Amino acid sequence: MSNSALNTQEAHTVRRAVLTLTAQPWGIAFGLLFVLVLFMATMILVMKGGENVGEHPGLSAIYFSGYRVTTAGAFLDFIYSFVICYIFGRQVGVIYNSVTGLLDARGCRP
């Protein structure tokens, strides 16, 4: 049994595979993480009730058409926020892959 080292091309291929992120899981992770926090915050405010339920979260209606601090609003916010955060998470993956590709092309080692 020999302990041969990888040749340069094999080492480069392995390195690229390890450093490359898949953008879709990043988008899903960002989307779900942010959405679950926002959804839970809205539902807690709805359950708390009161005269002026969620004055500050209600400002989300400026960005999300139709949003209110209600149960239906929490589900609407879930959809809006997931789409926005999914796009943001995918962009993080794409930018990361671009930067690592540029560094790898220049021979820089992270």
Side-chain angles (χ1 to χ4, degrees):
M1 186 177 207
S2 68
N3 280 338
S4 63
L6 297 174
N7 67 33
T8 307
Q9 182 61 33
E10 291 170 334
H12 178 71
T13 303
V14 169
R15 190 165 188 282
R16 288 294 301 151
V18 169
L19 290 178
T20 301
L21 293 178
T22 307
Q24 184 176 8
W26 274 87
I28 292 171
F30 268 73
L32 287 178
L33 182 66
F34 186 76
V35 162
L36 289 175
V37 169
L38 224 64
F39 182 80
M40 291 303 296
T42 302
M43 291 308 293
I44 289 170
L45 286 170
V46 168
M47 287 187 289
K48 182 180 171 187
E51 185 178 310
N52 190 4
V53 178
E55 179 180 349
H56 296 298
L59 295 175
S60 293
I62 294 170
Y63 303 106
F64 303 142
S65 177
Y67 175 74
R68 301 281 183 268
V69 183
T70 61
T71 303
F75 286 102
L76 183 64
D77 190 41
F78 187 95
I79 295 167
Y80 279 133
S81 298
F82 181 79
V83 170
I84 291 169
C85 291
Y86 175 80
I87 292 168
F88 177 75
R90 278 195 69 107
Q91 290 304 310
V92 168
V94 168
I95 292 168
Y96 176 86
N97 288 336
S98 298
V99 169
T100 57
L102 288 172
L103 291 176
D104 195 40
R106 292 181 181 196
C108 298
R109 305 251 179 210

